[in-house]
Every structure is written in C-alpha cells, then in structure tokens.
Amino acid sequence: MPSPKIARPSSRPVRSAPLQAASLRQTRRAHATETAEDYVEAIADLALAMGEARVVDLARRLGVTHVTVNHTLARLQRAGYLSALPYRAIFLTPHGQRLAKICQQRHEVVVAFLQALGVPPKIAERDAEGIEHHVSPRTLAAFARHLAQ
Amino acid sequence: MPSPKIARPSSRPVRSAPLQAASLRQTRRAHATETAEDYVEAIADLALAMGEARVVDLARRLGVTHVTVNHTLARLQRAGYLSALPYRAIFLTPHGQRLAKICQQRHEVVVAFLQALGVPPKIAERDAEGIEHHVSPRTLAAFARHLAQ
DNA sequence: TCTGTAATGTAGCTAAGGCTACATTATGGA
DNA sequence: TCCATAATGTAGCCTTAGCTACATTACAGA
C-alpha cells in the first residue's frame, strides 16, 4: 500500500507523532518501575511501623494475594532492591532504601499538592498513588514551588 | 507464625493499609484501561489528521511495532471500542469515540495545567501522558479551576 | 516437648503487552 | 495488466503481574 500520504486533510495541529511516541515510551518505562517503587515504599513503611516487613502485611497493604507478593519479591531481590530468606522477614538493601526514601518524599509532595488544590484527602491519596510514578523531577519541583507559597 | 502483632513500635501515622490497598487496586484498574485510552485517542487524532487511521501510523505514534498494534487492536475490537476489517483502516465505534473525546479533553487540561505551573512544554507533554490516566474527575475539576483563574 | 495453625512457599494457570521472523495482501505506477 | 513493495497479518516467543489450590515451615501455647 505505497501511498505517499502527502496531504493532511485537517489543519488542526495534532500532537506530533515522535513526541507522543517518546512520551509513551517514557510512560511504559515508568510503569516497569512502578511496582518496585510501591513495594520498597511499603516495605520501608512496615519496617518503621512494625519493626519488620512480612509477606502477609505487604499483601494486605498492596491489595494482592501473598502469592503475588512472593513472586514480585523474587524479582525485586534479583534486581537488588531487597534481601530475604525463606520464611523470614524482608529487608531493603541500601539501594532499596534510597528508592524508598525518594518515593516517600515524592508521595508526600503529590498528596499535599493535590490537597492544596482542593482535592479531598481520600481522593488525593488515591490519585497520588497512580500519578506519583509519572511525575518527573521538574514537575515535582513545580508542585513543591506551588506549595511553598 | 501466629504472632498477635499488637504493638506498633513506631508512633508515626503511616498510610492506612486498607486505603493504600484500595488506592493501588484503583491504580491497577486505571492501568487496564490506559492502553484503550491511548489507542482510541490516537485513532481519533489520526482520523482527523489523515482522514483514516492505519496500523503503521498508530505504531509510529504509539512507539511500538505494528505487531503490538495489531494484537491490541484485536482486543479493543472485542471490547467494542473500534471496528476494523483485515487490511483496511480502523474506525472507532460510538463507544470508542466517546472515550476518545473524554481523553482528549482531559489530556489538554492536564498539559495546560502543568504548563501553567511552569513546567516546560515538552516535559509537560511527557508527564501528562502518564499522569492523565490517573486523574479522577474531582482532581481534573481542581486542575480546571486552577486554570480558570 | 509437641502440635495446631498462621505464615510462607510452590505449581501451574490466565491475560496484557512487548518483541522478531516470516507470510500474505493491496495497490501505485510502469 | 501486472508486479514490486509497503502495509498488514500470523506464529511463536518473553516478561510482568494477577489468581487458585496445595505443600511446607515456624512458633505460641498447651
């Protein structure tokens, strides 16, 4: 079907294909690390709250079964975010701790920002959980700037 | 391991497990429709810009191979978002058109909002592509409100 | 010390969403 | 008309992330 597609019937300046393609690639990349971020953050929270993170608690907190948690933990351990021994608690590596800290801070900023805009707390929390993974440093800085005034 | 976990060594009021679990469930739900949203939006854009949407154009715009596009189109067709015949262009059903319209509007609001906060256009576009799928109606309204002033 | 049971682990399934390699179709232009 | 080639489709692979059902382990309390 070698049609040279020269003309563009519409004059509307739609999103440029390359930019959108790049953006979506970026989004997919972000999605690949979303799980890691959610897990290390939850593990850090649990370690602080209960002294250690266990599989059941993670499952409860993440809204999945313990089987899914187990499966994901194996991957995150391979990736160097955490260490765990069979039937024992889970601990973050320094690498995992760094990531957890960044995520916690970012989460707090996003939630505070949404609430400052007038979004009700529970909805802010809910939306933030999805939004935060796609907030670049520049955008996070813009949120923080807005909060500062 | 029946340990009654009564005590909470820390006093920090961490995120409640049920709320976070519900939020993450919501995020996963959103993620399941993300692809549909991206595709119908791109198809609507292409239909407007080139008169019709073809697989290659979608692949270019979405940053994936034509194989992935094909595979996803089959699913979206089953889901009733679009209609397509082999080796022919793709068309949105009324259902798909409705979704496309909502997504386009939401996308514009999110991009404009980020830019209004001082985020550079390209970064705003990039972040919006990931963020928009997790913006609830309430939050979108808050963005629009902020833009109005 | 022993054991019931909660916690943890394993087997094996599903679906989405990527990919490469190869097969088939449609069509513009010779 | 016919065919080269771009577009489209198919086969078959991978990874992530869910799940149910079942097996194993550890430990609190009798």
Side-chain angles (χ1 to χ4, degrees), chain A residues 1 5 7-10 12 14-17 19-28 31 34 38 41-42 45 48-51 54 56-57 60-64 87 104 107-108 113-114 117-120 122-123 125-127 129-132 134-136 138-139 142-143 145-146, chain B residues 1 5 7-10 12 14-17 19-28 31 34 38 41-42 45 48-51 54 56-57 60-64 87 104 107-108 113-114 117-120 122-123 125-127 129-132 134-136 138-139 142-143 145-146:
Chain A
M1 209 168 286
K5 75 180 67 147
R8 164 183 283 195
S10 155
R12 180 164 161 275
V14 279
R15 274 183 263 184
S16 89
L19 176 54
Q20 195 185 2
S23 299
L24 288 170
R25 259 190 271 263
Q26 169 65 36
T27 301
R28 284 196 295 275
H31 185 254
E34 268 185 44
D38 287 338
E41 212 178 330
D45 261 15
L48 202 63
M50 334 243 301
R54 314 279 332 200
V56 259
D57 300 315
R60 239 191 301 277
R61 175 169 286 250
L62 297 169
V64 295
Y87 296 99
Q104 280 171 338
H107 181 80
E108 277 170 31
F113 174 73
L114 291 180
L117 281 177
V119 179
K122 283 200 178 176
I123 296 182
E125 186 66 46
R126 195 168 286 235
D127 285 15
E129 208 68 66
I131 289 174
E132 58 182 0
H134 304 279
V135 173
S136 66
R138 292 292 287 269
T139 297
F143 286 5
R145 222 180 303 132
H146 183 268
Chain B
M1 208 169 287
K5 77 179 65 149
R8 165 183 282 195
S10 154
R12 180 165 161 275
V14 279
R15 273 184 264 184
S16 89
L19 176 54
Q20 195 185 4
S23 299
L24 288 170
R25 258 190 270 262
Q26 169 67 36
T27 301
R28 284 196 295 275
H31 185 254
E34 268 185 44
D38 286 338
E41 212 177 331
D45 261 14
L48 202 64
M50 334 242 302
R54 315 275 336 196
V56 259
D57 301 315
R60 238 191 301 278
R61 175 169 286 252
L62 297 169
V64 295
Y87 295 99
Q104 279 171 339
H107 180 80
E108 279 171 30
F113 174 73
L114 291 179
L117 280 178
V119 179
K122 282 198 180 175
I123 296 181
E125 185 67 45
R126 197 167 285 234
D127 285 15
E129 208 69 66
I131 289 174
E132 57 182 2
H134 304 280
V135 173
S136 66
R138 291 292 288 269
T139 298
F143 286 4
R145 221 181 303 130
H146 183 269

Side-chain angles (χ1 to χ4, degrees), chain B residues 35-47:
Chain B
T35 310
E37 294 182 353
D38 286 338
Y39 273 68
V40 297
E41 212 177 331
I43 292 167
D45 261 14
L46 285 170

